[in-house]
Every structure is written in structure tokens, then in C-alpha cells.
Amino acid sequence: MSQPAAIYLSGVSKRYGDTLAVDDVSLSVAHGEVFGFLGPNGAGKSTLVKMILGLTHPTAGEIEVLGQPVGSLAARAEVGYLPETFRFHDWLTASELLHFHARLARVSADVRSQRARELLELVGLKDRANDRISTFSKGMMQRVGLAQALVGEPRLVILDEPTSALDPIGRRDVRDRIRELGEHGVTVFLNSHLLSEVEQVCDRVAIIDHGSIVAEGKLDELLNAQEIELRAGQGAEAAAREILGEGGVRQVNGRLRVRVANDDEIAGLIRRMVETGVPVYDVRQIGDSLEDLFVRVAERGDV
Amino acid sequence: MSAHLIAFFTLREALRRRVVLAAALLTLGYLVLYGVGVWFGYRDLQETQGGPPGLTEGVVSLMLVGGLWSLNFIASVLAVFLSVGALSGEVDQGTLHAIAARPVRRSEIVLGKFVGFTLMLAVFIGVSASLMILIVAVITGEIVGGSWAGPFLMLLAAMLLIGLALAGSSRLSALPNGVIVFTLYATALIGGVIEQIGDVLESAVMFNIGVFSSVLVPTRAMWDMASAQLATGGFAGELSAGPFGASNPPSGWMLLIAFLHLALTLGFALRAFERRDF
């Protein structure tokens, strides 16, 4: 890739006293990618996000954002950020907040008003443009926060738990916005513990636990390592062990479960079993959703 | 540069949150009370027969200096309250996160807030001191108040407190910072009194304690210099000594120390806030 990564982290650590919040994280997010960053609460997600934004200083390691050293004004001019807390100066109106951030983001004066109007419409707050944020519900604050993140037409958008205060419809709207951003070539770094959200919009994910990245890759690759449940005749278990090795074969509630890497392995397994005279009556995929992956990672510390 | 945006934002916040309105209303009430006091005081003074020449002018001057002393106190409290949670408080609340992630230097945030608070205090001191001088002039027919250096020194005292509070706020949350800043402010006040007593008793130790407190926090010294500028007339010097001013106003060196103090506290605030983790 000739173009430098949108986000590049190399050996990044953050220590608070005796606690290692982020431990030697290396990560690269390509331009235009919608990247999901997952992890249980307290895993170090927000600390890492704040380091990417230059809000928190790493103890060790190197960070580049849009090809610039982290924290440089040039890089920050092209980044939009929705903080996890989505707390804004609530004495401002929604429109004033967007104008202020547009000025900070160096949006030229002649387009600020139009931009603010469009974004408020986009997040469904057109009718509340001139109301103070102090009168907003949490969900509305989060939505105006999303508009704020987009006001500078950023090339990189960092969203820290962007739907935590939204109802299901609001969540779907935000997912749609994220997809649109991705379609327009904007890089999105989505920090979330909502697996379905990440599953639905992200090209690639990383899972962080106890400050370290424990899994990273394209979603379908990570999810393809799956289990199938077989109902088969005598000798099935022995045949499966012979074909796939000892590791991925086990009995659950009297049924045979086999871990396979991909669909080709499933087909191969069934063919070989039939060839060796073991009848196969039923094959069921144990849906390895991201949630299963996540739980497995969080429980065992590996995939 | 975005420091002016932050300064403007700080001013707007004070206006919108009705900080300015509250301060204006209270000051107006105080000025009315003060005017009534001056009116009665001046009437009694005119009924006093005899007395040394220049007594009237001296007492009027003292009344003004006393009034400005309380304005100076209000300005100091306002300066501390406005700025004591300006950095840490906003980081803790999370309201500064989205702003600090913008192409804005941390130093611009600190300086913008400093300028915003300073402008607020400048307007407060300028307007309220002018009104007070006007009240005294209308009631007594005497135009006292001396030079503009007086109100400027009052503003400088407020700026010292803003600098100190911002330096603390770069690291500490509002409550411990407020306790520390007010304690230092009180130390300077009490140090001034000790210095005066030491002067009268010719106690070098007490005098030096006072001077030391003024170097530590030169707010009281700024007021002493201001009151020397504000007091006019033959008796003013002697009459102003006591609660409202020093019998020996600080030398010009104190001004240099004050500016150094401001540079140090602001420098610390800039440096510490630059390194601060959100």
C-alpha cells in the first residue's frame, strides 16, 4: 500500500501508576476502512482512542494519524471525534455547538450555516436546532455529538460508543450513517462493545482485552473458524479425529461437534466420512457469531 | 490560532450562564448601599465643625478607597470562582474532549480562558470602579480616585489569582484547587496585616513575614499600591493605612515581582496542561 495508513500504532503502551491500561498494541487501519474496535468494559478501548486523538499521551510506542505524528494540528484538522461521554457545553444550542466546532475545525465561514443545517437534519434534530443542549435527552445529545464529529468533513471519524444512549431506531440510523461514511471513502474507527453493531458495519475488527489485542482481522475470516454439529452413524468421532486431528473434535450432549476453518473443510469432512462408510444424517452449523468469538476471547484470552 | 475563539467562548459562557448578570445585579445592589452610606457619611461630615484643613477631602478619599477595597475583594472572589475549575473541571466533565481533539493547541485553550476571564474582570472593575467614583463625585462634589493606575493594579491582582487558579486547575480538580488558591490569597491578606503591625512595632521578623507573603502571592501588595494611587488629599495617606492599605506602599519592584508571578503561574499552567492526560 503506497498510501500511509489512516491510523498506525506501533508498540503503544499506556501505564497509569502500576496499572498497564494498554500493553504493546500495534495496529494499522487502512484509508476508507470501517474498523471495529471491540472489548469488554475496562479493556483499554477508550484509553487507546484518546491516545489516537492526542488527548492522552502514550507511555511508549509510536502513533501516526493520517500520515502525521499523533496530535499534530494538521492531522487533527481532518479528524472528527464523538467522545464516549458525549458531554458538551449545554448552554449552547445545537446549532451554536456545530458552528463553534466548525470554526475550530477551520470550516470556511460561508459554508458553516449550511453544513450545520444539513447535519442537524441528518441526525434528526432539525426542529431542535435552536434549543439549548441542556434541554436534550441523552439520545439527542449523542446525535448532536455525531453531527459535531462530522462538521469538519473529516477523512477519519472516531466514534467512541456512538449508540450507547440510542433506541433501536436511533442505532439503525447511526449504522446507516457509518455505512454511508465508509461508502464515501471516510475511514471510521468504531469503538464499541455492541457486537451486532460492529458485525453489521465493519470491514475489519480488533478485539482488545486487558490492554492487549487478542484477535484482529477481517470479520468473515475471524468468524469462519466455526463449529459444526454432526448427527452421524457409528465411528463418526473416530473418523473426524482421523481427518481433522484431535484438537477440534468433542462431544456435546451426545452429539459430535467439530471445529473447522472454513466451508471447504466442512465439505471435505463430509465427503471423507461418507467414503469411509460413516453415514451422515444431519450437519448443523453452530452459528459462530461475533458474540461467540468475543466471549471465547474474553474467557480464554485467545481465539 | 484559535485562542480568540476560546476567549470569546469563555465570555459567552459567562454571559449565557448568567454569571455576569448575577455579578452585575449584586454589584448594583452593593453600589446603591454604598451610595446611601456615602450620602449619610458626607452629611455628618459637613455638620462637623472645625477640624484640621483638608479633613473633608481626606475622609471622602477614605470612603472611596474603602469602597474600592470591597470591590477589589469581590473581583478577587470572582476571579477565583470563574477560573478554579476551568481546566480540570471541564476535563473531568468531558466537555473539553471534543474541543481538545480539534486543531487547537492546548496552550490556546489555557491562554484563551485566561484572556476571557481577564476581560470579564476588566469590565467588572472598570465599570464598577467608575460608577463608584461617579457616586462619590455626585454626592460630595469632590472628584477623587487619582489615576487610572489604581483600577489597573486592581485588575492585575485579579489576573494574578486567575493565573494561580489556572495553574492549579491544570492538575487539580476544582475543590482542592479552590481551597489552595483561597488559602494563598488569605495568606497574602494576613501577611499584609502582619507586615503593618511589624512596621508599627518595628519588628523585622513580622515585617519580613509580610514581605515574604507578598512575594508568594502579590495580590495584597497590588491592592496596597492601588490604594496609594487612589487616595488623594493631605490626610489620605494616613487615613488609608489600616484595613484598606499599607502606610508604606510597596516599591516598584513589587510590580516586577507581580509580572514574574503571572509569567510563572501561566507558564506552569501551559506546561502542565500540555502534558495532561484526558
Side-chain angles (χ1 to χ4, degrees):
Chain A
M1 191 167 46
S2 59
Q3 214 179 5
I7 300 173
Y8 171 78
L9 288 90
S10 171
V12 172
S13 297
K14 179 65 187 178
R15 181 178 283 283
Y16 294 105
D18 288 338
T19 316
L20 198 58
V22 174
D23 184 10
D24 193 25
V25 166
S26 295
L27 195 68
S28 180
V29 178
H31 282 279
E33 200 167 36
V34 178
F35 190 86
F37 198 59
L38 281 163
N41 292 331
K45 293 194 302 282
S46 281
T47 304
L48 196 93
V49 160
K50 284 190 275 187
M51 285 196 284
I52 293 169
L53 289 153
L55 294 175
T56 292
H57 306 282
T59 314
E62 191 195 339
I63 305 175
E64 278 183 17
V65 175
L66 299 170
Q68 310 271 349
V70 70
S72 73
L73 296 187
R76 282 195 267 160
E78 299 190 276
V79 176
Y81 168 46
L82 171 61
E84 185 186 16
T85 53
F86 55 88
R87 289 283 300 273
F88 303 101
H89 291 92
D90 59 7
W91 49 272
L92 292 168
T93 67
S95 173
E96 286 169 343
L97 178 79
L98 295 194
H99 272 89
F100 178 59
H101 276 275
R103 289 190 76 173
L104 288 176
R106 301 167 181 180
V107 175
S108 65
D110 47 330
V111 294
R112 272 182 226 142
S113 295
Q114 194 196 345
R115 182 84 51 84
R117 256 199 319 276
E118 285 170 1
L119 282 171
L120 286 173
E121 187 164 3
L122 186 77
V123 298
L125 288 172
K126 198 174 101 184
D127 299 335
R128 302 295 300 264
N130 296 316
D131 290 347
R132 285 198 192 188
I133 295 171
S134 56
T135 65
F136 283 12
S137 69
K138 278 188 172 176
M140 290 160 78
M141 284 189 202
Q142 199 157 36
R143 280 188 279 156
V144 81
L146 180 65
Q148 169 275 139
L150 302 179
V151 81
E153 290 205 317
R155 284 168 61 207
L156 168 63
V157 179
I158 297 178
L159 306 172
D160 199 349
E161 305 280 1
T163 61
S164 58
L166 299 180
D167 55 27
I169 294 168
R171 287 190 174 165
R172 194 194 57 204
D173 287 348
V174 169
R175 284 201 299 271
D176 290 347
R177 296 292 90 75
I178 293 173
R179 276 198 209 95
E180 279 168 23
L181 288 168
E183 284 160 14
H184 285 92
V186 176
T187 311
V188 180
F189 189 93
L190 173 64
N191 204 5
S192 179
H193 68 273
L194 290 175
L195 302 148
S196 59
E197 186 169 286
V198 169
E199 208 165 5
Q200 287 177 57
V201 298
C202 292
D203 306 321
R204 214 153 60 86
V205 298
I207 301 178
I208 187 172
D209 191 38
H210 294 100
S212 299
I213 296 207
V214 287
E216 186 198 344
K218 283 210 156 78
L219 208 52
D220 47 1
E221 286 170 6
L222 283 178
L223 295 180
N224 262 347
Q226 57 190 319
E227 253 184 345
I228 53 170
E229 193 172 86
L230 288 169
R231 200 158 61 83
Q234 282 288 325
E237 186 172 348
R241 284 188 198 283
E242 200 186 308
I243 296 161
L244 293 172
E246 293 288 322
V249 183
R250 60 186 178 136
Q251 288 277 351
V252 176
N253 299 330
R255 297 204 168 194
L256 184 63
R257 286 217 182 161
V258 179
R259 175 155 291 282
V260 290
N262 50 46
D263 288 352
D264 290 345
E265 258 190 33
I266 301 174
L269 178 69
I270 294 166
R271 195 177 59 240
R272 291 275 300 278
M273 280 186 148
V274 172
E275 279 170 9
T276 51
V278 176
V280 177
Y281 310 119
D282 185 26
V283 178
R284 197 160 63 89
Q285 287 200 4
I286 307 296
D288 203 19
S289 67
L290 192 54
E291 187 171 341
D292 299 324
L293 179 72
F294 186 74
V295 170
R296 240 183 318 129
V297 162
E299 280 175 355
R300 301 209 313 239
D302 69 320
V303 181
Chain B
M1 279 296 285
S2 306
H4 69 285
L5 289 179
I6 304 290
F8 180 63
F9 190 76
T10 307
L11 282 172
R12 213 162 133 205
E13 175 165 21
L15 279 172
R16 191 70 70 83
R17 283 193 182 280
R18 309 211 176 116
V19 175
V20 172
L21 185 70
L25 285 177
L26 286 173
T27 309
L28 207 66
Y30 171 71
L31 285 174
V32 169
L33 205 65
Y34 175 76
V36 172
V38 170
W39 192 78
F40 280 109
Y42 186 66
R43 199 186 61 179
D44 291 349
L45 187 66
Q46 279 179 315
E47 286 167 2
T48 309
Q49 297 299 315
L55 178 70
T56 304
E57 198 194 350
V59 172
V60 168
S61 175
L62 177 65
M63 287 197 285
L64 180 69
V65 171
L68 290 175
W69 182 88
S70 36
L71 280 186
N72 188 60
F73 182 74
I74 298 173
S76 300
V77 172
L78 212 54
V80 175
F81 269 113
L82 282 171
S83 51
V84 84
L87 301 173
S88 268
E90 289 219 37
V91 173
D92 294 344
Q93 283 174 21
T95 46
L96 217 46
H97 283 62
I99 292 172
R102 295 282 174 203
V104 180
R105 289 187 184 86
R106 298 265 180 107
S107 57
E108 291 173 337
I109 295 176
V110 176
L111 289 177
K113 286 190 178 263
F114 176 77
V115 170
F117 294 140
T118 298
L119 285 174
M120 258 180 255
L121 266 302
V123 171
F124 172 78
I125 292 170
V127 171
S128 57
S130 303
L131 282 174
M132 194 165 264
I133 291 169
L134 190 71
I135 288 169
V136 172
V138 166
I139 292 173
T140 69
E142 308 244 12
I143 296 174
V144 286
S147 69
W148 276 107
F152 174 74
L153 287 161
M154 288 166 69
L155 178 62
L156 191 54
M159 287 164 76
L160 288 170
L161 288 170
I162 295 170
L164 198 61
L166 284 179
S169 184
S170 64
R171 289 274 179 88
L172 302 168
S173 58
L175 191 61
N177 188 30
V179 170
I180 290 173
V181 174
F182 266 118
T183 306
L184 286 172
Y185 177 66
T187 305
L189 268 183
I190 291 163
V193 176
I194 293 174
E195 186 181 325
Q196 278 186 0
I197 298 171
D199 195 29
V200 173
L201 297 179
E202 293 180 4
S203 159
V205 175
M206 289 178 82
F207 187 76
N208 286 337
I209 288 173
V211 172
F212 176 74
S213 75
S214 288
V215 173
L216 192 68
V217 188
T219 44
R220 162 87 188 194
M222 288 307 100
W223 169 253
D224 288 349
M225 291 177 86
S227 71
Q229 293 289 329
L230 292 163
T232 51
F235 276 91
E238 289 85 73
L239 284 171
S240 302
F244 305 135
S247 39
N248 296 315
S251 70
W253 282 105
M254 205 30 112
L255 208 56
L256 186 70
I257 289 173
F259 279 113
L260 269 176
H261 197 277
L262 193 55
L264 273 176
T265 52
L266 272 183
F268 179 86
L270 292 173
R271 207 175 139 85
F273 194 58
E274 191 70 50
R275 294 178 176 184
R276 181 177 171 123
D277 285 337
F278 274 51

mmCIF file with all atom_site columns, all heavy atoms in Angstrom, chain B residues 264-275:
data_model
loop_
_atom_site.group_PDB
_atom_site.id
_atom_site.type_symbol
_atom_site.label_atom_id
_atom_site.label_alt_id
_atom_site.label_comp_id
_atom_site.label_asym_id
_atom_site.label_entity_id
_atom_site.label_seq_id
_atom_site.pdbx_PDB_ins_code
_atom_site.Cartn_x
_atom_site.Cartn_y
_atom_site.Cartn_z
_atom_site.occupancy
_atom_site.B_iso_or_equiv
_atom_site.pdbx_formal_charge
_atom_site.auth_seq_id
_atom_site.auth_comp_id
_atom_site.auth_asym_id
_atom_site.auth_atom_id
_atom_site.pdbx_PDB_model_num
ATOM 1  N N   . LEU B 1 264 ? 5.137  33.035 35.705 1.00 0.00 ? 264 LEU B N   1
ATOM 2  C CA  . LEU B 1 264 ? 5.422  31.709 36.261 1.00 0.00 ? 264 LEU B CA  1
ATOM 3  C C   . LEU B 1 264 ? 4.164  30.851 36.348 1.00 0.00 ? 264 LEU B C   1
ATOM 4  O O   . LEU B 1 264 ? 4.167  29.688 35.930 1.00 0.00 ? 264 LEU B O   1
ATOM 5  C CB  . LEU B 1 264 ? 6.020  31.848 37.665 1.00 0.00 ? 264 LEU B CB  1
ATOM 6  C CG  . LEU B 1 264 ? 7.532  32.033 37.738 1.00 0.00 ? 264 LEU B CG  1
ATOM 7  C CD1 . LEU B 1 264 ? 7.962  32.263 39.180 1.00 0.00 ? 264 LEU B CD1 1
ATOM 8  C CD2 . LEU B 1 264 ? 8.235  30.789 37.179 1.00 0.00 ? 264 LEU B CD2 1
ATOM 9  N N   . THR B 1 265 ? 3.084  31.420 36.882 1.00 0.00 ? 265 THR B N   1
ATOM 10 C CA  . THR B 1 265 ? 1.862  30.611 37.032 1.00 0.00 ? 265 THR B CA  1
ATOM 11 C C   . THR B 1 265 ? 1.302  30.234 35.659 1.00 0.00 ? 265 THR B C   1
ATOM 12 O O   . THR B 1 265 ? 0.921  29.082 35.439 1.00 0.00 ? 265 THR B O   1
ATOM 13 C CB  . THR B 1 265 ? 0.779  31.347 37.844 1.00 0.00 ? 265 THR B CB  1
ATOM 14 O OG1 . THR B 1 265 ? 0.578  32.641 37.276 1.00 0.00 ? 265 THR B OG1 1
ATOM 15 C CG2 . THR B 1 265 ? 1.165  31.476 39.298 1.00 0.00 ? 265 THR B CG2 1
ATOM 16 N N   . LEU B 1 266 ? 1.297  31.198 34.732 1.00 0.00 ? 266 LEU B N   1
ATOM 17 C CA  . LEU B 1 266 ? 0.782  30.875 33.398 1.00 0.00 ? 266 LEU B CA  1
ATOM 18 C C   . LEU B 1 266 ? 1.684  29.862 32.700 1.00 0.00 ? 266 LEU B C   1
ATOM 19 O O   . LEU B 1 266 ? 1.201  28.942 32.035 1.00 0.00 ? 266 LEU B O   1
ATOM 20 C CB  . LEU B 1 266 ? 0.676  32.142 32.556 1.00 0.00 ? 266 LEU B CB  1
ATOM 21 C CG  . LEU B 1 266 ? -0.631 32.922 32.670 1.00 0.00 ? 266 LEU B CG  1
ATOM 22 C CD1 . LEU B 1 266 ? -0.615 34.101 31.723 1.00 0.00 ? 266 LEU B CD1 1
ATOM 23 C CD2 . LEU B 1 266 ? -1.825 32.027 32.363 1.00 0.00 ? 266 LEU B CD2 1
ATOM 24 N N   . GLY B 1 267 ? 2.990  30.035 32.863 1.00 0.00 ? 267 GLY B N   1
ATOM 25 C CA  . GLY B 1 267 ? 3.936  29.086 32.276 1.00 0.00 ? 267 GLY B CA  1
ATOM 26 C C   . GLY B 1 267 ? 3.699  27.684 32.819 1.00 0.00 ? 267 GLY B C   1
ATOM 27 O O   . GLY B 1 267 ? 3.674  26.701 32.061 1.00 0.00 ? 267 GLY B O   1
ATOM 28 N N   . PHE B 1 268 ? 3.480  27.603 34.110 1.00 0.00 ? 268 PHE B N   1
ATOM 29 C CA  . PHE B 1 268 ? 3.206  26.291 34.713 1.00 0.00 ? 268 PHE B CA  1
ATOM 30 C C   . PHE B 1 268 ? 1.904  25.722 34.171 1.00 0.00 ? 268 PHE B C   1
ATOM 31 O O   . PHE B 1 268 ? 1.829  24.535 33.819 1.00 0.00 ? 268 PHE B O   1
ATOM 32 C CB  . PHE B 1 268 ? 3.126  26.404 36.244 1.00 0.00 ? 268 PHE B CB  1
ATOM 33 C CG  . PHE B 1 268 ? 2.829  25.090 36.912 1.00 0.00 ? 268 PHE B CG  1
ATOM 34 C CD1 . PHE B 1 268 ? 3.861  24.224 37.234 1.00 0.00 ? 268 PHE B CD1 1
ATOM 35 C CD2 . PHE B 1 268 ? 1.522  24.716 37.187 1.00 0.00 ? 268 PHE B CD2 1
ATOM 36 C CE1 . PHE B 1 268 ? 3.587  23.000 37.825 1.00 0.00 ? 268 PHE B CE1 1
ATOM 37 C CE2 . PHE B 1 268 ? 1.243  23.487 37.773 1.00 0.00 ? 268 PHE B CE2 1
ATOM 38 C CZ  . PHE B 1 268 ? 2.282  22.629 38.095 1.00 0.00 ? 268 PHE B CZ  1
ATOM 39 N N   . ALA B 1 269 ? 0.867  26.577 34.091 1.00 0.00 ? 269 ALA B N   1
ATOM 40 C CA  . ALA B 1 269 ? -0.434 26.109 33.587 1.00 0.00 ? 269 ALA B CA  1
ATOM 41 C C   . ALA B 1 269 ? -0.292 25.562 32.165 1.00 0.00 ? 269 ALA B C   1
ATOM 42 O O   . ALA B 1 269 ? -0.807 24.483 31.849 1.00 0.00 ? 269 ALA B O   1
ATOM 43 C CB  . ALA B 1 269 ? -1.456 27.246 33.623 1.00 0.00 ? 269 ALA B CB  1
ATOM 44 N N   . LEU B 1 270 ? 0.439  26.289 31.314 1.00 0.00 ? 270 LEU B N   1
ATOM 45 C CA  . LEU B 1 270 ? 0.617  25.862 29.922 1.00 0.00 ? 270 LEU B CA  1
ATOM 46 C C   . LEU B 1 270 ? 1.334  24.518 29.856 1.00 0.00 ? 270 LEU B C   1
ATOM 47 O O   . LEU B 1 270 ? 0.923  23.605 29.146 1.00 0.00 ? 270 LEU B O   1
ATOM 48 C CB  . LEU B 1 270 ? 1.420  26.911 29.148 1.00 0.00 ? 270 LEU B CB  1
ATOM 49 C CG  . LEU B 1 270 ? 0.733  28.254 28.903 1.00 0.00 ? 270 LEU B CG  1
ATOM 50 C CD1 . LEU B 1 270 ? 1.700  29.246 28.289 1.00 0.00 ? 270 LEU B CD1 1
ATOM 51 C CD2 . LEU B 1 270 ? -0.474 28.058 27.996 1.00 0.00 ? 270 LEU B CD2 1
ATOM 52 N N   . ARG B 1 271 ? 2.407  24.408 30.613 1.00 0.00 ? 271 ARG B N   1
ATOM 53 C CA  . ARG B 1 271 ? 3.235  23.204 30.590 1.00 0.00 ? 271 ARG B CA  1
ATOM 54 C C   . ARG B 1 271 ? 2.489  21.996 31.151 1.00 0.00 ? 271 ARG B C   1
ATOM 55 O O   . ARG B 1 271 ? 2.473  20.918 30.545 1.00 0.00 ? 271 ARG B O   1
ATOM 56 C CB  . ARG B 1 271 ? 4.482  23.481 31.432 1.00 0.00 ? 271 ARG B CB  1
ATOM 57 C CG  . ARG B 1 271 ? 5.692  22.703 31.057 1.00 0.00 ? 271 ARG B CG  1
ATOM 58 C CD  . ARG B 1 271 ? 6.850  23.215 31.916 1.00 0.00 ? 271 ARG B CD  1
ATOM 59 N NE  . ARG B 1 271 ? 7.665  22.114 32.376 1.00 0.00 ? 271 ARG B NE  1
ATOM 60 C CZ  . ARG B 1 271 ? 8.642  21.582 31.661 1.00 0.00 ? 271 ARG B CZ  1
ATOM 61 N NH1 . ARG B 1 271 ? 8.900  22.035 30.460 1.00 0.00 ? 271 ARG B NH1 1
ATOM 62 N NH2 . ARG B 1 271 ? 9.347  20.583 32.143 1.00 0.00 ? 271 ARG B NH2 1
ATOM 63 N N   . ALA B 1 272 ? 1.851  22.214 32.285 1.00 0.00 ? 272 ALA B N   1
ATOM 64 C CA  . ALA B 1 272 ? 1.163  21.091 32.941 1.00 0.00 ? 272 ALA B CA  1
ATOM 65 C C   . ALA B 1 272 ? -0.043 20.643 32.128 1.00 0.00 ? 272 ALA B C   1
ATOM 66 O O   . ALA B 1 272 ? -0.329 19.451 32.022 1.00 0.00 ? 272 ALA B O   1
ATOM 67 C CB  . ALA B 1 272 ? 0.733  21.493 34.350 1.00 0.00 ? 272 ALA B CB  1
ATOM 68 N N   . PHE B 1 273 ? -0.749 21.597 31.508 1.00 0.00 ? 273 PHE B N   1
ATOM 69 C CA  . PHE B 1 273 ? -1.941 21.222 30.752 1.00 0.00 ? 273 PHE B CA  1
ATOM 70 C C   . PHE B 1 273 ? -1.550 20.530 29.439 1.00 0.00 ? 273 PHE B C   1
ATOM 71 O O   . PHE B 1 273 ? -2.263 19.661 28.950 1.00 0.00 ? 273 PHE B O   1
ATOM 72 C CB  . PHE B 1 273 ? -2.804 22.450 30.474 1.00 0.00 ? 273 PHE B CB  1
ATOM 73 C CG  . PHE B 1 273 ? -4.190 22.101 30.010 1.00 0.00 ? 273 PHE B CG  1
ATOM 74 C CD1 . PHE B 1 273 ? -5.018 21.315 30.800 1.00 0.00 ? 273 PHE B CD1 1
ATOM 75 C CD2 . PHE B 1 273 ? -4.667 22.542 28.797 1.00 0.00 ? 273 PHE B CD2 1
ATOM 76 C CE1 . PHE B 1 273 ? -6.287 20.972 30.378 1.00 0.00 ? 273 PHE B CE1 1
ATOM 77 C CE2 . PHE B 1 273 ? -5.944 22.202 28.364 1.00 0.00 ? 273 PHE B CE2 1
ATOM 78 C CZ  . PHE B 1 273 ? -6.748 21.419 29.156 1.00 0.00 ? 273 PHE B CZ  1
ATOM 79 N N   . GLU B 1 274 ? -0.389 20.937 28.903 1.00 0.00 ? 274 GLU B N   1
ATOM 80 C CA  . GLU B 1 274 ? 0.129  20.295 27.702 1.00 0.00 ? 274 GLU B CA  1
ATOM 81 C C   . GLU B 1 274 ? 0.346  18.803 27.946 1.00 0.00 ? 274 GLU B C   1
ATOM 82 O O   . GLU B 1 274 ? 0.082  17.964 27.084 1.00 0.00 ? 274 GLU B O   1
ATOM 83 C CB  . GLU B 1 274 ? 1.455  20.967 27.315 1.00 0.00 ? 274 GLU B CB  1
ATOM 84 C CG  . GLU B 1 274 ? 1.984  20.605 25.958 1.00 0.00 ? 274 GLU B CG  1
ATOM 85 C CD  . GLU B 1 274 ? 1.150  21.194 24.832 1.00 0.00 ? 274 GLU B CD  1
ATOM 86 O OE1 . GLU B 1 274 ? 0.863  22.403 24.839 1.00 0.00 ? 274 GLU B OE1 1
ATOM 87 O OE2 . GLU B 1 274 ? 0.779  20.421 23.957 1.00 0.00 ? 274 GLU B OE2 1
ATOM 88 N N   . ARG B 1 275 ? 0.824  18.477 29.123 1.00 0.00 ? 275 ARG B N   1
ATOM 89 C CA  . ARG B 1 275 ? 1.161  17.082 29.433 1.00 0.00 ? 275 ARG B CA  1
ATOM 90 C C   . ARG B 1 275 ? 0.001  16.294 30.017 1.00 0.00 ? 275 ARG B C   1
ATOM 91 O O   . ARG B 1 275 ? 0.123  15.105 30.266 1.00 0.00 ? 275 ARG B O   1
ATOM 92 C CB  . ARG B 1 275 ? 2.290  17.067 30.474 1.00 0.00 ? 275 ARG B CB  1
ATOM 93 C CG  . ARG B 1 275 ? 3.568  17.629 29.918 1.00 0.00 ? 275 ARG B CG  1
ATOM 94 C CD  . ARG B 1 275 ? 4.604  17.642 30.978 1.00 0.00 ? 275 ARG B CD  1
ATOM 95 N NE  . ARG B 1 275 ? 5.873  18.081 30.437 1.00 0.00 ? 275 ARG B NE  1
ATOM 96 C CZ  . ARG B 1 275 ? 6.977  18.118 31.148 1.00 0.00 ? 275 ARG B CZ  1
ATOM 97 N NH1 . ARG B 1 275 ? 6.973  17.754 32.410 1.00 0.00 ? 275 ARG B NH1 1
ATOM 98 N NH2 . ARG B 1 275 ? 8.099  18.526 30.601 1.00 0.00 ? 275 ARG B NH2 1
#
